[in-house]
Amino acid sequence: MKPFALALALSLSAGAISAGAAHAAGASDTDEERAARWREIQTSIFGDRKVETTDALIKVDAPVRAMDAALVPITLTMPEKDRIAAVHLIIDDNPSPYAAQVTFGPAADPGELKLRVRVNNYTNVHAVAETKDGKLFETTKFVKASGGCSAPMGMSDEEAMKGMGDMRLKFAGEPQGGKPMEATLMIRHPNFSGMQMNQLTREYTPARYIQRVEVSYGAKNVLTLTGDISISSNPVINFAFLPEGKGPIRVVASDNQNGRWEQSFDAPSPSN
């Protein structure tokens, strides 16, 4: 597969299609136009690799109509989790469609993943599962939303950047040996999209967003997320890991302006 940065650049180029073009984004697009748009994006990200449609390997849950286009909850469910190596989230009509790539490590339980994203237009959201044998399978959800990538944060840039890089990690339930444990990672970061206008200066705030998040448990990788401007401000990632052995859980996050933050968390010990 092409590296994320190259695929992202190509999908950005594909996203620059003018409003009068045959595959223009918008609520009035036909099914055929949306299908053509997806073929372009699919080729830019995955090249000539075959992407099969599935209703079993991956499912995407999202609101049909988003209450807040800048904070749209997405849940990816992988029923046959033992087959899954990675997932790719593509928001077809966003300015940069390739929202996130998540690769699972040996300490992960890839059964479910939750993110909050920006949605800029009425669009198909594609979730692509990559299996351990290198095959690709996709499913689709249509979401109605508008303006999520340009929506202002309702505060000054300076206020939005206070505490940037601070992290919290919460666990759900009590750990039990051999069973996955759910965790919620919260990272303080404005994830400026480059499309948001500063309400005081009336100038556009330069893009500054989390590009990479690595989560490990002890010596084992849990997941690595590569993202872009489609991830909402103050990213929240819900994931599951296998609490075998001892922690800590270590999180390393970096952004596109060379910001880097690292924090370790005590992991609950599993019961015998």
Side-chain angles (χ1 to χ4, degrees):
M1 191 189 74
K2 300 177 181 180
F4 186 90
L6 176 58
L8 175 57
L10 289 168
S11 61
L12 273 166
S13 175
I17 299 171
S18 68
H23 307 318
S28 61
D29 281 359
T30 65
D31 290 344
E32 290 76 13
E33 287 171 327
R34 295 192 186 281
R37 172 83 171 126
W38 169 238
R39 286 194 295 271
E40 285 185 7
I41 296 170
Q42 179 180 312
T43 299
S44 75
I45 295 173
F46 303 110
D48 59 1
R49 296 174 68 188
K50 183 179 181 180
V51 182
E52 301 178 51
T53 301
T54 183
D55 58 4
L57 276 180
I58 187 166
K59 302 177 186 295
V60 56
D61 183 45
V64 174
R65 184 180 295 275
M67 295 184 65
D68 185 343
L71 290 168
V72 181
I74 300 286
T75 299
L76 305 179
T77 306
M78 284 67 71
E80 298 181 42
K81 59 186 180 182
D82 292 339
R83 296 180 60 189
I84 306 300
V87 295
H88 308 263
L89 181 64
I90 296 104
I91 305 172
D92 291 16
D93 290 316
N94 270 12
S96 173
Y98 200 176
Q101 172 187 325
V102 179
T103 303
F104 297 104
D109 180 88
E112 185 177 87
L113 185 76
K114 296 181 181 180
L115 301 168
R116 301 188 308 186
V117 300
R118 297 177 170 124
V119 176
N120 210 52
N121 210 330
Y122 285 37
T123 184
N124 282 331
V125 174
H126 283 88
V128 179
E130 185 168 354
T131 57
K132 292 178 180 178
D133 59 1
K135 295 181 180 179
L136 300 169
F137 299 87
E138 65 90 6
T139 189
T140 312
K141 177 83 173 186
F142 185 72
V143 176
K144 297 178 181 179
S146 182
C149 293
S150 58
M153 294 187 65
M155 62 184 74
S156 69
D157 293 351
E158 293 74 17
E159 186 177 357
M161 294 173 70
K162 284 182 179 178
M164 190 164 58
D166 288 349
M167 303 181 199
R168 293 183 181 181
L169 188 64
K170 295 183 178 180
F171 304 98
E174 295 295 328
Q176 298 181 24
K179 293 186 178 181
M181 187 171 193
E182 295 182 7
T184 301
L185 173 64
M186 295 160 278
I187 304 175
R188 177 106 175 141
H189 197 289
N191 259 29
F192 293 130
S193 67
M195 298 173 61
Q196 297 154 307
M197 180 179 287
N198 185 301
Q199 300 301 296
L200 297 177
T201 67
R202 309 303 293 173
E203 296 179 350
Y204 288 98
T205 301
R208 183 165 190 175
Y209 53 90
I210 294 285
Q211 271 189 322
R212 187 177 179 89
V213 178
E214 297 178 68
V215 181
S216 58
Y217 177 75
K220 296 181 179 180
N221 176 261
V222 178
L223 61 83
T224 300
L225 179 147
T226 308
D228 78 330
I229 65 169
S230 293
I231 302 296
S232 297
S233 60
N234 300 319
V236 176
I237 308 167
N238 293 77
F239 62 92
F241 68 100
L242 301 172
E244 299 170 352
K246 296 182 179 179
I249 290 183
R250 178 170 168 264
V251 181
V252 179
S254 56
D255 70 15
N256 68 316
Q257 292 193 20
N258 298 318
R260 185 184 184 279
W261 303 272
E262 180 178 334
Q263 194 163 338
S264 292
F265 302 89
D266 290 334
S269 299
S271 303
N272 292 327

